[in-house]
Amino acid sequence: MVSSSHEALHRIFQEDTGAIVRALRKLLGVPFPDANKTFVVSPDLTEIAPVERRVDTLLQVETKGDGTYLFAIESQSRRDPKKPAAWAYYLSYMHAKFGHQPVLIVLCPDESTARWAARPITLGIPDYPSMTVRPLVLGPGNVPVVTDARDVARDIPIAAFSAITHSRSENIDAILKVLATTLSSLDPVQGVIYAELVEAGLGNTPAREIWRDLMPALMNYFRSQQAQHAFAEVRADALLRFFKARGLEVTAETRERIESCKDMDVLGTWLDRAATVSRAEDLFADG
């Protein structure tokens, strides 16, 4: 399960990795080139040093004619004076390690934080900076309010992200009602994935209670054993796809062990480990 509003903001773009490119084009007006493939890669940017560096979500985007990009997606719910230096580090290290162009995208659920995050980060002499970082920020000011069912159906990840971003809007009731109606018509597993992300993303706001009242059928399904098995299958598939993206070989025995596991906690532990293990078999190090 998604445990926090911070995690839900960026996890939406892991569920549909192409959604971030659509967000850049539609919401920020960035003329990003057409992508051939977009996939999640390990978010661990730690060097051989005692300081851990981990971006929230890291996507590799391979375009048709403009090379490969790395999207570092960060959820930011409040101002943090340590973040600008960390963001500059992420971008320079990603470029040095992978050789691809890095892009920083910051997701903010409130406008004050969004304005702070959008400020250019300059390192060096004020009038002659050695490095300038310009985050691309998505927040209440540039994410549209989605209350039309056709718009929700057209792009569910963006509609879910919009609902979370505008959780304190006076229109939140209408936003959530149209989103709930659309999710209820989806395949149950897919619907519950987004229902869970939205519930976590709304955090400790009145909107969360509105959402729980609107989605009892899906949430009851989620709590059922049948849903647990369905989600276990989704997590197992995500784990195997992650290994494929990392170029790690998965033996038939390892694949069978992953696919047969129905314990959500165990699968969650394996997903956490998958970003750092050097062999797929190392998932089972503790038995």
Side-chain angles (χ1 to χ4, degrees), residues 267-286:
L267 286 166
T269 299
W270 290 351
L271 277 170
D272 291 339
R273 292 178 182 172
T276 56
V277 296
S278 56
R279 300 181 311 133
E281 292 75 16
D282 292 342
L283 287 180
F284 321 126
D286 62 355

Side-chain angles (χ1 to χ4, degrees), residues 55 70-74 87-88 90-91 102-106 117 121 133-137:
V55 69
L70 290 172
F71 284 6
I73 305 176
E74 285 275 278
W87 290 339
Y90 293 162
L91 297 181
V103 179
L104 173 63
I105 302 169
V106 184
I121 301 162
V133 176
R134 297 181 181 276
L136 296 172
V137 179

Side-chain angles (χ1 to χ4, degrees), residues 249-265:
E249 181 181 355
V250 179
T251 65
E253 181 181 358
T254 297
R255 176 181 294 274
E256 196 280 331
R257 185 169 178 179
I258 291 172
E259 291 179 338
S260 64
C261 180
K262 302 303 179 186
D263 188 313
M264 293 287 285
D265 292 334

Side-chain angles (χ1 to χ4, degrees), residues 234-248:
V234 171
R235 282 196 170 182
D237 181 64
L239 186 55
L240 292 170
R241 284 190 285 112
F242 192 24
F243 280 143
K244 182 178 179 180
R246 290 191 59 200
L248 297 182

Side-chain angles (χ1 to χ4, degrees), residues 39-71:
F39 54 88
V40 179
V41 296
S42 170
D44 192 347
L45 302 181
T46 305
E47 298 183 80
I48 306 175
V51 179
E52 181 183 10
R53 304 283 189 178
R54 185 177 293 271
V55 69
D56 287 334
T57 287
L58 185 60
L59 300 181
Q60 182 166 319
V61 182
E62 299 177 359
T63 69
K64 293 182 178 179
D66 202 32
T68 298
Y69 290 81
L70 290 172
F71 284 6

Side-chain angles (χ1 to χ4, degrees), residues 88-102:
Y89 168 87
Y90 293 162
L91 297 181
S92 59
Y93 179 64
M94 286 158 56
H95 187 263
K97 180 177 181 179
F98 300 105
H100 302 316
Q101 291 299 327

Side-chain angles (χ1 to χ4, degrees), residues 199 212 216 218-228:
E199 179 176 348
R212 285 175 171 171
L218 275 180
M219 299 322 294
N220 287 338
Y221 176 87
F222 173 72
R223 296 184 182 97
S224 71
Q225 184 177 7
Q226 180 183 2
Q228 294 295 313

